[in-house]
Amino acid sequence: MFRIRSFPKLLLSISTIGLIISIFSVFFRDKWLFGAMCLFVSFAIYLVYLLSYDYKASHLMQKAKKHLDRKEVDKAVDCMLASARLNANEENLVKIFGQQRKNLDTFKAASSKLYIKMDASDTPFVRFLIGSFFYFAGDIQKTKELLTAIPVEERTIKTVRLLGSALYDMKDYDGAIEVLSRYDSASLPMNENELAVSFGLGIAYLSKGDKVKASEYLLKVQTRNARFGNVSQILATMREKVD
């Protein structure tokens, strides 16, 4: 069966808008035909989404989380690797597991089993997946090992964020700066990923003692989002020490 591997998010937004329009058209007799057409288009788009690899991969990752919550590690690992083979969706992975702060023993067990099975489906995304799990579980060295093996040109901004964090935690500030600099934006950061890169560069330079470079990056973050990483407080503390 034909499936779309990566479903455009714009189409889902259009589907939602079409559904809203069709609901409101019920209150206007002269608009019912237009509303019916919007409903049909919305349904068709959503049906295509349900048949896409994007949906299947997301569903499998959600199942993996439920298995982990029940400490069913082998089932969780199988679901995650099956999901990774269908679609490399880092955003979805972070959304599902990014706030995980419990069951660390289960995460450790899953990390080990994922690592053992990695050779069968080794891709940059699979390395990011396993590296994330090792990072959650506290094995930063393993995270570094997995992610540094990804060719520089194949590292996504999320991979760079994670590797930069691992290197910073290991107090390898020069290494963190080198890695993060790949996605160093010349302009102000525009989204969360770019904010995280600028913030990471700022605190890495600060930890090295280079307050000039640190201020340069942290001020860029503050301009966009003064609450990101408690950046305003960091800058205020830096100014107090100078005074």
Side-chain angles (χ1 to χ4, degrees), residues 114-128:
L114 282 166
Y115 187 73
I116 291 170
K117 294 186 176 184
M118 183 181 69
D119 289 342
S121 48
D122 188 1
T123 65
F125 175 68
V126 169
R127 285 181 173 271
F128 174 76

Side-chain angles (χ1 to χ4, degrees), residues 127-155:
R127 285 181 173 271
F128 174 76
L129 163 65
I130 303 173
S132 298
F133 268 64
F134 274 118
Y135 190 82
F136 291 148
D139 193 339
I140 301 169
Q141 178 61 44
K142 211 67 176 177
T143 300
K144 175 188 172 183
E145 174 191 321
L146 283 160
L147 300 187
T148 50
I150 300 174
V152 173
E153 64 275 8
E154 294 183 33
R155 293 176 188 171

